[in-house]
Amino acid sequence: PQVRLAPNPFNPRTRISFDLATARDVELAVFDARGRRVAVLHRGPVAAGPFGVDWDGRGDDGLPRPAGLYLFRLDPRGDAGWTPVVTKGILLE
C-alpha cells in the first residue's frame, strides 16, 4: 500500500492515510530523522479499504516535537510477505 500525508509539509496536524486490499494487523508509527520512534499512531487490526489517522506533532509522551523531517512507517504485524512502507513528512515551525 501507499502511505499518504495531507497536508505535507504540515503544522501542527497531518492526516496519514492508506488503503488495504485485505484486513490485517498493522502498526503505524512516527520516527524522527535519527530513526527514534516518536509515536505509535495505530497498532492492531485494520479492515480492508481506506484507513486514516491524524498526527498532531506530539510524541507518545504528549510533548510537541520540534520542526523537522519525520518518517511514517506502516508495518505489517506477523506478515512476512509484506515489507514495511515508509513515507516522509515535514513538520514546520
Side-chain angles (χ1 to χ4, degrees):
Q2 180 183 8
V3 177
R4 300 171 300 278
L5 273 69
N8 187 22
F10 60 95
N11 180 6
R13 183 175 301 275
T14 189
R15 179 94 175 154
I16 303 97
S17 59
F18 56 89
D19 294 297
L20 294 179
T22 59
R24 64 177 66 235
D25 278 350
V26 300
E27 180 178 274
L28 179 61
V30 183
F31 294 82
D32 67 17
R34 291 185 166 181
R36 297 175 294 204
R37 184 168 36 205
V38 170
V40 175
L41 304 179
H42 180 83
R43 182 183 290 141
V46 173
F51 180 84
V53 63
D54 292 334
W55 186 50
D56 63 0
R58 295 181 181 272
D60 283 339
D61 58 7
L63 298 175
R65 295 300 177 214
L69 175 71
Y70 289 87
L71 305 173
F72 297 79
R73 178 178 166 146
L74 178 63
D75 204 358
R77 294 175 47 96
D79 186 348
W82 181 36
T83 57
V85 178
V86 178
T87 193
K88 297 175 186 175
I90 298 174
L91 174 58
L92 299 174
E93 278 192 45

